[in-house]
Amino acid sequence: ELVTGYFIQSNLSKMRFTLAIAVVLLVLLQLSQVEAGKNRDKDKGKDKDKGKDKDKGKDKDKGKDKGNGKVKSGCKDLGRVLKNCLKKGWKPLGAELDTTDCTTKSGKMKKKGEKKCAKAEVDYTGEGCPALCLDDEDEDDEKEKETEEKETGGETGGETGGETGGETGGETGGETGGETGGETGGETGGETGGACVKTPKTVAQCKLPGQRLAGAQLSPGYYDNIASYEACVALCQTIAGCEAVVYKAAPKRCFVKSGAYRKTPEPYADSTSAAMCCIRGDCDCPAEEGAGGEGAGGEGAGGEGGNKGKSIAECTLNGINLPGAQLSPGYYEGFPTVASCVAKCQATPGCKAIGHKSEAKRCFVKGAGYGAARADTSGRPTASLELCCLDGTC
């Protein structure tokens, strides 16, 4: 019994020791399993993040490819939004957006639309779109033309379209250019050239209240929002080929006319007229285009005298735009004067006219098909010129 008890007591101690070791091993096994699980979760998270980054990269690349493929339509749509924003009084946030020639509104737009406009600006400049309103056409251009045609018909009593458009355009262009140029150039070429005594008068002295000088409107034929008769005369003096005005105070409208207007004033209520030759004092002098002082003499070569070219200063249209038909590229930087811009146009194949922004030193070059002259509304110093004016082929 003693031996059996000793044996049992000895084995019991060993079993306790073995059991303790087993418990320790079990605990260690569980701890290693927990740690392994954490590592697996961590690796899964990394793989997931890599997948996201890869997907983002693909989406970004897709976005780039999509942007590169559709820049033009994107620029066009964004440009339309921005133009509407400018018309509502929105002011661009940065200097990157070129708003040259854009129609803007003074004041401040409603806050409701500012966020949309700001986002459109960021997207437009981010896509590398061109200057916003280059070669921009007025949306109401056709309406203005219709209004102008109706006004022309009323102001000239229906005679401008028929008589001036047909007979004056043809006969005056041919007969006046030929006969005056030929006769003056041939008969008075050396005798009268320089014998004329000019007697300039003031704008007030040349004023013809209640009368009009009918026919021969330029294109455009009139300008609105002209405050006074004096302002109308001043406008005419900045427009190449303008030789007379008719001013209507009620609508504040100034009609501008070429030298083919009817020289005898006609009674016309609510109108005030003036001839530029009266202000210059050369109404009774031979036309400069036909003067033969340059040697055409007795051969009467003045038949082409009516088409004699003019200087850059004479052909410059200050405050006027000739919209549309820009070449590619549409403009060049670093041209400080109209003369330098004209030289660039003359050296550019297909260039027929220019637009010049003196502050930006920017020269716009235009091909055939540009629109009729219209007043510039950008508020920046602007000038235009047709090359045909320089060589007398307009």
Side-chain angles (χ1 to χ4, degrees):
E1 292 179 358
L2 290 172
V3 172
T4 302
Y6 175 78
F7 179 78
I8 292 173
Q9 184 69 30
S10 177
N11 286 334
L12 184 61
S13 299
K14 291 180 179 179
M15 289 175 63
R16 287 175 179 171
F17 178 76
T18 303
L19 182 62
I21 292 175
V23 170
V24 171
L25 291 175
L26 182 62
V27 171
L28 291 174
L29 179 62
Q30 289 179 341
L31 288 174
S32 65
Q33 288 178 345
V34 171
E35 187 67 24
K38 288 182 179 180
N39 290 334
R40 281 197 300 271
D41 292 339
K42 190 175 182 180
D43 291 338
K44 286 182 180 179
K46 288 182 179 179
D47 293 339
K48 191 174 182 181
D49 291 338
K50 287 182 180 179
K52 287 183 179 180
D53 293 339
K54 189 174 181 181
D55 291 339
K56 285 182 180 179
K58 289 181 179 179
D59 293 339
K60 189 173 182 180
D61 291 339
K62 286 182 180 178
K64 287 182 179 178
D65 294 339
K66 186 175 180 182
N68 290 333
K70 296 185 178 180
V71 167
K72 290 186 178 179
S73 62
C75 290
K76 184 176 180 180
D77 293 338
L78 291 169
R80 188 180 297 111
V81 173
L82 288 173
K83 289 173 190 176
N84 288 333
C85 291
L86 291 172
K87 291 178 181 178
K88 293 177 181 178
W90 177 72
K91 299 294 186 295
L93 303 177
E96 296 85 1
L97 183 64
D98 189 344
T99 57
T100 302
D101 283 344
C102 290
T103 300
T104 59
K105 178 183 177 182
S106 59
K108 190 176 182 181
M109 75 175 298
K110 296 180 180 179
K111 288 187 177 180
K112 185 177 180 181
E114 287 183 349
K115 187 175 181 181
K116 179 181 179 181
C117 295
K119 184 179 185 306
E121 179 185 358
V122 172
D123 293 341
Y124 192 88
T125 54
E127 287 202 20
C129 297
L132 184 59
C133 297
L134 295 182
D135 196 19
D136 188 23
E137 298 284 344
D138 277 348
E139 295 178 356
D140 298 327
D141 189 53
E142 291 300 324
K143 293 181 180 179
E144 290 181 3
K145 287 182 180 178
E146 293 176 5
T147 304
E148 180 179 336
E149 289 171 2
K150 292 178 181 178
E151 188 62 37
T152 301
E155 199 273 338
T156 59
E159 295 176 2
T160 304
E163 183 179 89
T164 306
E167 297 177 8
T168 306
E171 295 177 9
T172 305
E175 294 176 12
T176 305
E179 294 176 12
T180 304
E183 294 172 9
T184 306
E187 297 173 8
T188 29
E191 301 171 5
T192 310
C196 175
V197 178
K198 297 182 180 181
T199 54
K201 297 181 180 179
T202 66
V203 174
Q205 289 174 322
C206 294
K207 187 175 183 179
L208 301 174
Q211 300 181 74
R212 71 172 180 179
L213 298 170
Q217 286 182 204
L218 297 174
S219 178
Y222 64 87
Y223 296 86
D224 286 325
N225 299 317
I226 306 301
S228 64
Y229 154 76
E230 289 77 12
C232 183
V233 171
L235 174 64
C236 178
Q237 291 172 330
T238 67
I239 299 174
C242 183
E243 289 295 329
V245 299
V246 175
Y247 180 70
K248 291 188 175 182
K252 294 184 179 180
R253 180 167 292 172
C254 176
F255 293 86
V256 290
K257 299 166 179 288
S258 73
Y261 65 90
R262 289 196 280 281
K263 303 303 186 286
T264 303
E266 303 173 3
Y268 207 79
D270 301 325
S271 294
T272 302
S273 300
M276 297 302 105
C277 68
C278 174
I279 297 171
R280 294 192 302 264
D282 59 5
C283 290
D284 297 326
C285 297
E288 291 183 4
E289 290 83 356
E294 293 185 16
E299 294 185 15
E304 294 182 5
N307 289 328
K308 180 183 174 183
K310 298 181 179 179
S311 67
I312 292 177
E314 291 174 313
C315 292
T316 299
L317 306 175
N318 291 307
I320 299 296
N321 280 329
L322 298 171
Q326 283 187 207
L327 299 176
S328 180
Y331 64 90
Y332 298 88
E333 306 284 3
F335 289 83
T337 64
V338 172
S340 62
C341 186
V342 169
K344 178 63 178 176
C345 180
Q346 290 171 328
T348 303
C351 184
K352 301 295 183 183
I354 61 104
H356 184 255
K357 299 285 185 180
S358 59
E359 286 183 349
K361 296 182 180 179
R362 183 170 291 167
C363 176
F364 296 84
V365 289
K366 299 169 179 283
Y370 53 85
R374 69 184 185 199
D376 176 69
T377 58
S378 68
R380 301 181 180 90
T382 302
S384 298
L385 183 145
E386 299 173 281
L387 291 196
C388 63
C389 176
L390 297 175
D391 55 26
T393 58
C394 289

